[in-house]
Amino acid sequence: MTLTFIEAALIVFVVACALGAALLRDLLSSVIAFAAYSLGVSIIWVILQAPDVGLTEAAVGAGIMTILFLLAMANTVRPDEEERLEPVRLRTVLGVGAFVVVLGATVPSLPAIGDPTAPVVAGEVSQYYIANAYDETGVKNAVTAVLAAYRGFDTLGEAVVVFVAGVAALSVLRQEVFA
């Protein structure tokens, strides 16, 4: 599997944002880093040809969660500390490093994006969808046919999650007193 420059840059960006969100002492900076992380992950989902997951990540992760974090910050007291970054224990760094190495070792075994011989693409279910989606659903786009017809309940579940998150955010914002 080879990475393009954009994919590699996105991975570096997402990792840097995750580290920033975890290590920055300033809460506003940490929330901004988290929002950027979530937006980067949503772009990665789009590149991986999962726009429904990318849209959900952008709406819930970068949108609603950022608003809720900012509201929580507005209602709390900021500590007066001079240090910019959180101190990190060596044992934590070693544990996270070991986890990253184990996950990183699996990356070379992944098929390339769009590889027609990949097990998912070459599988029975995928071939059935590709061969029959247009005829059985009458939808011109195969991805839409799969999301709306074959995986309709799953898509409905995703829509419900986004809707509930939006309603929860609106109810919190409605109760908020901005003075």
Side-chain angles (χ1 to χ4, degrees):
M1 184 176 118
T2 58
L3 290 176
T4 66
F5 174 74
I6 292 176
E7 293 167 347
L10 271 171
I11 289 171
V12 169
F13 175 75
V14 165
V15 169
C17 289
L19 288 172
L23 297 177
L24 286 169
R25 274 203 176 264
D26 182 46
L27 290 178
L28 181 59
S29 300
S30 184
V31 168
I32 291 170
F34 173 78
Y37 162 82
S38 187
L39 192 59
V41 168
S42 69
I43 294 170
I44 289 173
W45 280 120
V46 170
I47 288 174
L48 291 174
Q49 300 172 359
D52 58 327
V53 180
L55 182 61
T56 302
E57 176 67 30
V60 175
I64 293 173
M65 287 306 299
T66 302
I67 291 170
L68 292 177
F69 282 153
L70 292 174
L71 283 173
M73 281 178 44
N75 292 321
T76 57
V77 178
R78 296 178 82 180
D80 295 328
E81 305 233 359
E82 303 270 333
E83 293 182 35
R84 194 97 172 127
L85 297 174
E86 285 286 334
V88 181
R89 295 184 194 155
L90 179 62
R91 184 172 54 182
T92 304
V93 171
L94 291 176
V96 169
F99 185 69
V100 167
V101 167
V102 168
L103 285 179
T106 64
V107 171
S109 65
L110 293 173
I113 297 172
D115 182 9
T117 62
V120 173
V121 175
E124 259 182 69
V125 175
S126 298
Q127 291 304 317
Y128 179 83
Y129 287 161
I130 291 169
N132 299 311
Y134 300 117
D135 297 331
E136 291 182 355
T137 64
V139 178
K140 302 288 184 211
N141 185 318
V143 174
T144 304
V146 170
L147 290 176
Y150 297 118
R151 293 181 53 216
F153 285 118
D154 181 48
T155 304
L156 177 65
E158 291 174 2
V160 167
V161 167
V162 173
F163 178 75
V164 168
V167 168
L170 289 175
S171 68
V172 167
L173 289 172
R174 187 173 165 181
Q175 294 175 1
E176 184 65 31
V177 177
F178 297 100

